Amino acid sequence: MNLYEYQGKKIFARYGIPVPRGEVASSPEEARRIAAELGGEVVLKAQVLAGGRGKAGGVKFASSPEEAESVAKELLSMKLKGFKVEKVLVEQKLNIRREIYAGITIDRAEGKPVFMVSGEGGVDIETIAERSPEKIFTRHVDPFVGFYPYMARELASELGIERESFKRISEVLLKLYRLFSEKDAQLAEINPLVIADEGVFAADAKVVIDEDALFRQDFGVKSKGLPYVELDGSIGCVVNGAGLAMATMDTLKHLGGEPANFLDIGGGAGREVMREALLRVASHPRVKVVFINILGGITRCDEIARGILAAREGINLPLVVRFRGTREEEGIALLREAGIEVERDMLKAAKLAIEKSREATE
Ligand code: GDP
Ligand code: MN
């Protein structure tokens, strides 16, 4: 699961990695307010799950709240690397003196995390690797031994940084490893980690969490106590039970689909829970189709159908409904009256959902 820069930076902040002051905005007006609160010059950054935004025009500067508003408006109407820009991060503009690269990922061949640093930050690691591979320093970390302050200092000493920033940079590397390990990350990257007049800061954040570890990480936005998890595709999912949730995710992925989120309504949910779950899942800006996949046991399919019908007026998206079990026939009849066909076969339903999500994103 890829996190947006602003989400990554929130986690950085919790781990004591310094990030520039700022906040995320969903509208030009909000951007203006944040810029006014920050005062002075600001940087506005399009929040998309892709790197290289700087070159693509997704990172811009403004020197007044008014300018921030118009720049945000421009960014929010952009499509960047195939992604619609839904949010803009507004931050204090730093006076950057140096840009450093720091990243940790898993080296699958070695079966160990590998730490990489370079004094040539700002450009992506692949480019550094191509142009000047000798400028990347790597160190494998034995997860059973751990990563210690002296190891962070060793890495930092490869960067040729002046004494006054050395301690700060080493601390950031140490905290980045802690975050990587505790958050079950597959990638934790700061590019650039900057030395600025204002101090040492993570000017960018790229964090990828291992989806197999999501069950023990709490990135979900809780919806009335129901388990809700956000992913990065376009298919919203309402399911019941953790097992069916995983099976639904796996099936969609296996067929080439990308879930946007899922909400587990649990056992015995009635129409009201179903209605709220559907509205909640459909409210995410990335969702283009909602896939409802329910196994009727204590949960009654006719109640699910009533919940779907009650939510429908608030939703302007295609729905794909699959349910089986208790009161299935009643549920099918209720939905058919409203022009919604129920698919009984899970594979067929998943394929249909993927098809509809593709139609919507084309
Ligand atoms: P990316 O291109 O998607 O990786 O986006 P980044 O967040 O890394 O920003 C790209 C570049 O914008 C950085 O390498 C910096 O050179 C520049 N940049 C970002 N924030 C600031 C800032 O506060 N001040 C200055 N002067 N430049 C910045
Ligand atoms: Mn970057």
Side-chain angles (χ1 to χ4, degrees):
M1 181 179 67
N2 281 290
L3 302 186
Y4 287 97
E5 176 191 7
Y6 76 94
Q7 295 171 319
K9 280 180 169 168
K10 277 186 194 157
I11 301 179
F12 281 4
R14 271 191 256 142
Y15 275 81
I17 297 172
V19 293
R21 288 190 306 127
E23 219 181 302
V24 72
S26 311
S27 71
E29 297 72 36
E30 237 183 305
R32 179 198 181 110
R33 176 186 60 76
I34 297 164
E37 283 169 6
L38 289 170
E41 290 189 78
V42 295
V43 52
L44 295 105
K45 306 172 80 178
Q47 297 299 287
V48 290
L49 296 171
R53 295 164 302 167
K55 277 199 192 121
V59 177
K60 292 189 183 305
F61 302 99
S63 43
S64 70
E66 292 70 35
E67 195 185 352
E69 181 172 355
S70 69
V71 169
K73 194 170 171 191
E74 188 188 329
L75 288 173
L76 287 165
S77 63
M78 264 172 74
K79 224 176 166 185
L80 211 65
K81 310 211 149 189
F83 294 95
K84 235 183 120 240
V85 180
E86 317 265 8
K87 288 189 166 78
V88 171
L89 182 60
V90 187
E91 288 182 335
Q92 66 174 131
K93 183 182 173 185
L94 299 168
N95 254 319
I96 298 178
R97 285 194 243 136
R98 255 197 89 172
E99 305 194 13
I100 288 162
Y101 175 93
I104 311 166
T105 185
I106 302 280
D107 180 340
R108 288 181 191 282
E110 288 281 327
K112 281 179 187 161
V114 59
F115 217 130
M116 290 167 289
V117 296
S118 173
E120 310 272 296
V123 286
D124 56 58
I125 189 73
E126 290 83 2
T127 311
I128 312 174
E130 238 169 67
R131 270 197 227 143
S132 34
E134 74 285 355
K135 286 187 177 140
I136 302 175
F137 297 91
T138 62
R139 175 181 187 128
H140 285 92
V141 183
D142 185 330
F144 297 106
V145 174
F147 187 73
Y148 291 92
Y150 81 89
M151 299 174 180
R153 289 195 295 270
E154 272 175 9
L155 273 176
S157 69
E158 302 284 4
L159 296 170
I161 39 183
E162 58 274 41
R163 265 184 76 179
E164 53 167 19
S165 312
F166 184 80
K167 191 160 171 271
R168 293 272 166 271
I169 298 281
S170 312
E171 279 167 7
V172 169
L173 300 181
L174 191 63
K175 287 163 179 168
L176 189 65
Y177 185 81
R178 229 189 99 207
L179 178 160
F180 177 86
S181 146
E182 289 180 7
K183 290 291 169 198
D184 293 309
Q186 287 172 319
L187 175 71
E189 184 186 83
I190 311 177
N191 189 24
L193 170 59
V194 302
I195 301 173
D197 291 343
E198 296 84 354
V200 165
F201 290 95
D204 193 6
K206 192 166 174 197
V207 179
V208 180
I209 303 294
D210 184 348
E211 288 180 21
D212 291 333
L214 279 180
F215 71 96
R216 60 178 185 186
Q217 295 290 351
D218 181 22
F219 294 104
V221 184
K222 291 274 186 319
S223 167
K224 295 218 165 166
L226 296 174
Y228 173 79
V229 173
E230 268 185 19
L231 304 160
D232 44 31
S234 60
I235 305 171
C237 303
V238 180
V239 297
N240 64 334
L244 187 60
M246 291 307 119
T248 306
M249 297 303 107
D250 285 350
T251 305
L252 286 172
K253 283 265 188 183
H254 180 69
L255 295 170
E258 289 296 343
N261 56 13
F262 67 85
L263 198 154
D264 174 5
I265 60 173
R271 67 185 81 172
E272 194 46 33
V273 171
M274 182 60 212
R275 186 184 75 89
E276 286 186 15
L278 189 44
L279 290 173
R280 171 87 185 84
V281 162
S283 72
H284 192 281
R286 263 197 319 275
V287 170
K288 301 289 182 277
V289 52
V290 184
F291 180 22
I292 299 149
N293 189 13
I294 301 291
L295 270 176
I298 304 171
T299 307
R300 288 167 36 180
C301 295
D302 58 340
E303 278 295 293
I304 295 302
R306 289 195 174 88
I308 293 171
L309 294 174
R312 210 165 56 135
E313 59 201 77
I315 300 176
N316 189 16
L317 292 173
L319 303 177
V320 175
V321 185
R322 182 260 175 173
F323 53 56
R324 299 218 69 158
T326 314
R327 301 229 191 188
E328 181 180 319
E329 291 308 327
E330 286 89 324
I332 290 174
L334 277 167
L335 288 177
R336 184 166 291 155
E337 252 173 64
I340 302 174
E341 280 306 318
V342 175
E343 181 58 65
R344 295 177 202 226
D345 183 275
M346 175 152 151
L347 270 179
K348 280 192 193 150
K351 278 183 191 151
L352 191 60
I354 293 166
E355 232 172 79
K356 286 188 188 284
S357 74
R358 290 206 176 121
E359 278 167 23
T361 39
E362 257 154 28

